Amino acid sequence: MSQVAASAPGKLYIAGEYAVVEPGHPAILVAVDRFVTVSVDFAPQLHPADDAGGRIFSDRYPSGSRDYARASGRIVPENGELDYVISALATVDELRAAEGIDPRAFDLHITSTLDEADGRKYGLGSSGAVAVATVDAAAQACGLELDRRDIFQAALLATIAVSPNASGGDIAASTYGGWVRYVSPDRAVLRQQAAEHGAAWTLRHGEWGSCEVLPLGAPAGLDLHVGWTGAPASTNALVAHVRRGDSRAADEYARFLAANSTSVEALTAAWTRDPGRVCEGIGEVRRQLRRLGEAAGAELETPLLATLCEVAEEHGAAAKFAGAGGGDCGVALAGPGVDAAAMRSAWERAGVRALDLRPTEPTTTGGV
């Protein structure tokens, strides 16, 4: 029977996608009520714990499970490449060793409600959620006390060991819950420091610089609505395409970064007191993203995402695509004067599935 478990929510970007990939740039995200849950089963001690590994059970693995092992005192994949779960386990194990806590052998069981039952993805940030839930569950299993900041930082270090360009926005939302403003650190520096000094040293002494997670609370007088296009998007491919170095795209990207920072700051200032300005800000962010996509020659706002936004705007809401675009989801913020049921019905008629997603409660009122 599982003795320890942890869950982490999925996320959606409200503003700041693409820009947040660059260190020091802000974004606003919301954690939503779909979760990854990681449960721990303690393995019988058949051999010394220093040499013990375990098994990870998840339907995301083709065989349904994957083994991890210990080599020279470190957790490593039994075979194949490092993934987010094993990287999170290895990071927590480094923190455990630094605290002088004896190792324990255990298996993990991972379940998720972030995607469709048939495996189709909504784009809710499964990699970030599984990293956060794994760090939390593994730390509990080891008897290691981590606060929210520790969990966020450990999950980010684990994630960038696998995906160096990951912004960490999904990890911030999955760790803190609710609505958050996030500013990204320099992950290249943190990755180098972790490689040179280890995760425990980097957690306490690394150059976290501009990194910030600020719980915002719900936007005043506005409700979240989410529509799904049914088409998957490749975040890494789209980000790489947008950031490529040809002159027109580079010039627009620089303008976009500056404009995005201004917009996110304006949204933050208006967030809890001026719903009209928040809606205007969402419209401006949508226009910035469209210009960025046009300059880069990338279809960020697909025809169906454009329809989602136009339908929402016709009903008096503010809307944009969420995350990398190219498919997945769009979000709308609607005030009390919006007939939300009519808007969602219009989405459905246009081929957009209205999802039953709600913001989660924040896990803490503090931030990084």
Side-chain angles (χ1 to χ4, degrees):
M1 179 178 293
S2 295
Q3 298 172 308
V4 170
S7 294
K11 66 83 183 80
L12 289 164
Y13 271 92
I14 303 301
E17 50 271 89
Y18 286 102
V20 75
V21 175
E22 307 298 340
H25 285 268
I28 294 174
L29 303 93
V30 61
V32 294
D33 58 350
R34 297 288 184 97
F35 298 88
V36 170
T37 299
V38 176
S39 304
V40 176
D41 280 333
F42 292 103
Q45 296 294 307
L46 302 179
H47 41 76
D50 282 343
D51 300 320
R55 180 165 292 178
I56 305 160
F57 296 89
S58 170
D59 61 10
R60 292 297 178 263
Y61 294 133
S63 65
S65 66
R66 189 180 186 194
D67 292 339
Y68 69 92
R70 290 181 187 273
S72 302
R74 296 176 62 86
I75 287 181
V76 295
E78 188 72 65
N79 51 64
E81 297 181 352
L82 192 68
D83 65 18
Y84 294 108
V85 177
I86 295 178
S87 186
L89 285 173
T91 301
V92 171
D93 200 58
E94 282 193 54
L95 303 181
R96 170 205 60 76
E99 293 296 319
I101 300 172
D102 291 335
R104 297 194 68 176
F106 51 81
D107 297 335
L108 297 182
H109 296 261
I110 301 174
T111 58
S112 174
T113 59
L114 264 60
D115 306 328
E116 283 280 89
D118 62 7
R120 287 183 295 168
K121 296 180 179 295
Y122 294 136
L124 300 180
S126 58
S127 59
V130 78
V132 170
T134 301
V135 165
D136 194 351
Q140 292 181 55
C142 293
L144 182 65
E145 294 186 7
L146 300 182
D147 61 20
R148 285 289 110 185
R149 174 179 177 144
D150 294 333
I151 291 171
F152 162 73
Q153 292 182 332
L156 181 57
L157 292 178
T159 297
I160 61 177
V162 178
S163 179
N165 291 327
S167 72
D170 54 352
I171 296 166
S174 291
T175 303
Y176 286 88
W179 305 78
V180 298
R181 176 185 181 272
Y182 170 67
V183 181
S184 58
D186 191 327
R187 284 91 63 212
V189 170
L190 290 172
R191 193 170 190 260
Q192 181 178 354
Q193 290 177 330
E196 292 177 355
H197 303 291
W201 184 94
T202 307
L203 208 70
R204 303 305 177 203
H205 308 293
E207 294 183 28
W208 292 92
S210 60
C211 184
E212 179 183 282
V213 185
L214 175 68
L216 291 177
L222 297 171
D223 292 326
L224 175 71
H225 298 272
V226 183
W228 182 47
T229 64
S234 173
T235 298
N236 289 338
L238 285 166
V239 169
H241 190 80
V242 165
R243 296 176 79 200
R244 77 190 195 283
D246 66 81
S247 59
R248 179 169 179 250
D251 289 347
E252 181 56 40
Y253 190 57
R255 285 191 290 270
F256 167 75
L257 292 177
N260 173 81
S261 291
T262 299
S263 292
V264 172
E265 296 310 321
L267 281 167
T268 302
W271 195 253
T272 57
R273 54 189 179 207
D274 193 335
R277 288 188 63 192
V278 170
C279 288
E280 290 172 5
I282 294 299
E284 175 57 26
V285 169
R286 180 194 176 200
R287 289 187 288 274
Q288 292 168 8
L289 288 166
R290 291 182 68 178
R291 288 194 295 269
L292 178 66
E294 289 166 1
E299 190 177 58
L300 304 184
E301 186 177 279
T302 64
L304 197 51
L305 284 170
T307 297
L308 179 155
C309 294
E310 290 160 6
V311 167
E313 290 171 355
E314 289 167 3
H315 285 79
K320 57 178 283 293
F321 65 77
D328 286 337
C329 290
V331 293
L333 295 180
V338 174
D339 187 338
M343 178 185 74
R344 293 167 70 90
S345 294
W347 276 354
E348 295 281 354
R349 290 193 298 273
V352 174
R353 179 175 166 187
L355 298 181
D356 185 19
L357 294 178
R358 293 176 178 81
T360 67
E361 292 296 322
T363 57
T364 176
T365 56
V368 174

